[in-house]
Amino acid sequence: MNPVCNIAAALPQLAAQRPDQVAIRCPGRGARYDVVLDYAQLDARSDAIAAGLARRGVARGTRTVVMVRPTPEFFLLMFALFKAGAVPVLVDPGIDKRALRQCLGEAQAEAFIGIPLSMLARRLLGWATSARVRVTTGARAWLADATLAQVERDGAGAGPQLCDTHPDDVAAILFTSGSTGVPKGVVYRHRHFTAQVDMLRTAFGMQAGGIDLPTFPPFALFDPALGLTSIIPDMDPTRPAAADPAKLLSAIERFGVTQLFGSPALMRVLAEHGAALPTVRCVTSAGAPVPADVVAKMQALLPDDAQFWTPYGATECLPVAAIEGRELLTLRERTEQGAGTCVGRPVAPNEVRIIQVSDEAIEHWSDALLVRPGQVGEITVAGPSATDSYFNRDAQTRLAKIRENVASAANSSASETSPASASGPLFRHGESDAGGNSLSRSEDTDRGEGASGQCERIVHRMGDLGYFDAQGRLWFCGRKSQRVVTAAGTLCTEQVEPVFNAHPEVRRTALVGIGAPGPQRPVLCVELRAGVARGAQPRIADELRHLGEGFVHTAQVDTFLFHPRFPVDIRHNAKIGRETLAAWAAKQLRRQA
Ligand SMILES: Nc1ncnc2c1ncn2[C@@H]1O[C@H](COP(=O)(O)OP(=O)(O)OP(=O)(O)O)[C@@H](O)[C@H]1O
């Protein structure tokens, strides 16, 4: 019989091997960091909650919205839901309230577990009206059927609860950050999570016993699966750019943090604060390109043997590729000359391929889709953590997924060197699973290969533009939906903006296209560094024009608009809201006309 495929399966093992190791430490009141759960408690209490939830009908397959801050309750609850085989639904709390309601409605949740404020918002704003079980983390069962403490008491003494989930069972629905539109619910199967844990462990050398400071709460969930101790930082996780560096530093020093994850905006906060981080051995930062000056400053603050990784990936597929800071800095000049941002080599066992740019759905893979080596196209990934569908969004699923036939024999023989066979169960047409997803698992997969010797797998389209260089490194050129199509050709945001970002008085720039694609007018929105006088704008515009004339592609950009502060995404505070800026720029140009 196959072992259970579930990231919560690590908990009973860790509880047996290292019961007293702290699993999670939270700031609590007054940031005393005295709210602590060890592995024995995390395992036993999540068992009790899973059993208590089962009594209320939250069991295998129950979609459950979780709106709980990163506290011990969040971890207990999430692992209880994984153990129960239930399906947690996570949405970024800071997104626009209308979008949030839409996401929660789309998820068709059967249960809702949240802090008292979210229970109130649920009632007032009509969130997740389908939920028939409501549990609050509050002290009283206000607007809820029970408190989490009651649920835990109900399940106390029930013993181990690990459900025998299969690799293909839906494990969670995680919404994208919605930086290019309404967030989409990504269907995670248990095999995706277990693959991610393996890939993170191998790619970044994460070892049990390490001390992690995860500044993005869902990432903290990997820590217990890796046997790490999570120190939950004293900050608002929805506003990493506004984190207090002194507080982060004091936690890093006090608990001897060995690794930390944060968005590029949080990295800038630490880099500009400028205090050394002597205990930290590994830093990872993702979500958007990390500017070279931030990488350089961070490296100066870290010990010589520490690593600074910028993994590239998306909610739908993570990690895809990664590059270490030292190598990234050697490529800084190429980025400033318009080459794009290098995101490194594919993380094993991913297979990353570049296809011609198209906004249409592609049903079947064909090698004819591939671009010539070195040419920019859309980045695609086949691999064990590439998810296969969005929940209740067939149109988006079709736009982002391609079915590929692979020969099973070739597939398995290629396994040592190629990711093909490791890309998890394979798929075939026309089936539909309980989640309303259009793509589902082939029965052939149970036997490892189809009778025909052919299997199907899902290739995920990243919606990003990029190319491979001669050294096998992947370069990110920007979002496909944000490309600007002019009369002279296509401009990619990440190949244009870094050329202008090299100006010393510029904080960041954003390329937007005015008008319908082909031909659009390229406009560069410019945010200046703090303290640069308004009167300097005409001079800076001239200097930017001069910088742009240095390269064929940037020479097309001759309209510069100064914006006081760019809109950014809620999750990372780093992705520039180019759609909003495009509307703003169009208005400015109409006014000037
Ligand atoms: N290291 C990186 N360098 C550059 N860009 C990155 C990096 N890591 C992630 N990204 C960008 O972030 C995207 C994934 O972001 P995420 O999954 O948070 O949601 P989103 O795709 O922005 O949301 P939505 O699809 O709702 O707009 C990638 O497709 C890529 O554009």
Side-chain angles (χ1 to χ4, degrees), residues 465-483:
L465 302 174
Y467 65 93
F468 275 106
D469 66 14
Q471 285 73 39
R473 291 176 301 215
L474 181 64
W475 289 71
F476 171 74
C477 300
R479 305 299 295 246
K480 182 175 73 173
S481 64
Q482 293 173 344
R483 71 194 191 277

Side-chain angles (χ1 to χ4, degrees), residues 176-184 285-290 310-316 341 343 462-464 476 478-479 571-572 575:
T176 61
S177 64
S179 56
T180 58
V182 176
K184 304 172 285 276
S285 182
V290 187
T310 56
Y312 162 73
T315 314
E316 295 90 332
T341 294
V343 290
M462 293 291 289
D464 289 331
F476 171 74
R479 305 299 295 246
R571 183 179 296 176
H572 306 284
K575 293 184 218 279

Side-chain angles (χ1 to χ4, degrees), residues 27 100 131 154 266 278 326 436 524 533 584:
L100 189 58
D154 291 349
L266 186 113
R326 289 171 189 81
L524 194 79
W584 171 84

